[in-house]
Amino acid sequence: MRKQNFGALRLVPALLAAGVLACAAAAEPTPRHGIAMYGEPALAPDFIALPQVNPDAPKGGRIVFGETGGFDSLNPFILKGRAPWGVASFTVETLLGRAWDEPFTLYGLLAESVITDEARTHVEFILRESARFADGSPVTVEDVIWSFHMLGEKGAPRFHAATQKVAQVVQTGPRSVRFDFAVADRELPLILGLRPILKKAQWDGRDFAASGLEPPMGSGPYVVAAQEPGRFITFRRNPDWWGKDLPYNRGQHNFDEIRFDYFSDANAVFEAFKAGVITSFRETSAARWATAYDFDRVASGAVVKSEIPHGRPSGMSGLAFNTRRPVFTDWRVREALIQAFNFEFINTTLNGAVEPRIASVFSNAPLAGGPGPAAGAVRDLLLPFADSLPPGALEGYALPATDGTAANRAGIRRAIALMAEAGWTVQEGQMKDAAGTPFTFEILLPQGAAEMRAVVNIYAAALDRMGIAPRVALVDPAQYQARTAAYDFDMTPWTVAVSLSPGNEQRLYWGRFGVEAPGTRNLPGIDSPAVEAMIDRMLTATDPADFTAAVQALDRALTAGRYAIPLWFADRGRIAHDSRLRYPDHLPVYGDWQGFQPEVWWYAE
């Protein structure tokens, strides 16, 4: 549930706010220890620990990760600069915390309780009296209100949508703050519960939106101990952390030190792991997992290979078409380029044919729309948009399957036929339009993306047989971030992770505001009335069945839009690690995703 849109905070007129409050007056809600999207939290108020942790895990030791590229900022909450993700994860807390065994449930963290009404027209949080920032100062209502406004006004685009949906924010007591809503959105109490809480005093007289190497002051279990851009960043556990004895935190944040070392490319990271420089390596290549782990440290037992199953959706990982560019506005052109992509051959070459293909954004989960004809509630939701939906949304659409040979003759024939329907034919060995203009485009790649470069090389060879010669531009990480944030590309890698609890973040991923607003995840420039409507329906659904139908309809609209060439996903996590690094026997439904490593791991001699 990472959420948001683009714009500044706007207070609605007092009459609207009064009307919203009047709807809530019918029943006086009571404080709760947690909140679920539907129904009640699974854990009782007196729970001892989250189910996916070892509550008796020892404290101490260190874990070292390897990353490619670098960073030039320590503020992960703004658009400028590139910050290590660990700053937000380890040093800053939110009012509520996730339960990774319950996709739709949050429990009190900085807030000891949460209050909302049945219609979700408002939410109120009561802060824990013991909550402290890393410098020992108390977390106050003033800090909460300031963080809400500052992130909404100067933070990254992912924070802006929730800001626009709030009519007013008021302090209701020494430790309580209330948000009244301007629109109907059942997820909004959960979104606000996950907003980062920063220390207002740190930013007095300073520009929050300016990139820099001073980390924001947080209240989390770790502080930034040392860093050198391009080389490393180290987080050390705060021995005076205020939240170490909370039941929610029991068994979590066990390492004394978490370090990230930076390398030029993924191969360098792997070599560093083999040498013992880093102690945990997340393997993304199934082929290498099967063949490359025969080095001495594995044979001696110093390194363990762990496979972590999961039940989360596949998400999207592929090559995005930038539909803002005229070359990719026609769905038939996009379908042609999908037909020309020889997935089975590429998967065999790079992965030993082990990895399953991404069929849709929500594939591998009950939220997937499926390849057959739409039926029931899903069809009813999509029918009003039949005229604007690409073929396949209602009738059914599935990605092409090739024969696995390098030639892919059938796929190339279909691709050439579709290009002809769109006005492009092969003339003198080149794909051209009626005016003789060649069909060409650029594939933008970041340096260090060796696996994606291999994918693109095979794909370019296939396109060459159609008379298409794409240009491949390899740029440094800073240039890549700047160009993708400004949508300055034709085709580029696109990765979007989704959860079993999709919500307002779907607007950031595929909402039409991202066609022009910079820095969103909508790299393809998706502008679909059906997508917008399905997101609206999902956010206002009042029961799980309505919600599931809306997400399945959304999934179908995105798939039929042919906005990307999907690659593969791992239906399990593959983590090679020092044998002294351990994790609990009970695995959350999200498997090796967020909240798993390093949060619930520990070091054992």
Side-chain angles (χ1 to χ4, degrees), residues 322-364:
N322 188 352
T323 63
R324 303 171 187 83
R325 301 290 173 93
V327 70
F328 290 141
T329 55
D330 193 322
W331 72 266
R332 293 169 298 183
V333 169
R334 303 196 298 272
E335 175 65 16
L337 296 184
I338 291 171
Q339 292 284 342
F341 189 85
N342 194 343
F343 174 79
E344 284 70 22
F345 177 72
I346 291 173
N347 193 29
T348 299
T349 302
L350 300 183
N351 300 318
V354 171
E355 302 287 46
R357 190 174 195 183
I358 294 170
S360 66
V361 171
F362 290 96
S363 62
N364 195 52

Side-chain angles (χ1 to χ4, degrees), residues 464-503:
D464 184 64
R465 295 198 294 276
M466 296 174 57
I468 299 172
R471 306 179 305 278
V472 179
L474 199 63
V475 300
D476 64 57
Q479 281 184 287
Y480 184 77
Q481 179 170 337
R483 287 189 60 178
T484 52
Y487 314 123
D488 181 18
F489 63 88
D490 297 329
M491 176 182 284
T492 198
W494 185 40
T495 298
V496 179
V498 295
S499 73
L500 292 166
S501 56

Side-chain angles (χ1 to χ4, degrees), residues 310-318 356-368 399 494-500 510 555 559 566-572 590 593:
H310 69 78
R312 63 182 184 266
S314 63
M316 175 53 65
S317 178
R357 190 174 195 183
I358 294 170
S360 66
V361 171
F362 290 96
S363 62
N364 195 52
L367 299 176
L399 292 167
W494 185 40
T495 298
V496 179
V498 295
S499 73
L500 292 166
W510 9 83
D555 194 49
T559 304
L567 297 179
W568 55 82
F569 74 102
D571 57 4
R572 67 204 65 199
Y590 284 100
W593 208 33

Side-chain angles (χ1 to χ4, degrees), residues 146 187 204 238 291 419 512 558 598:
W146 177 87
E187 193 192 20
D204 286 347
N238 180 2
T291 62
M419 292 295 290
R512 63 160 50 106
L558 291 171

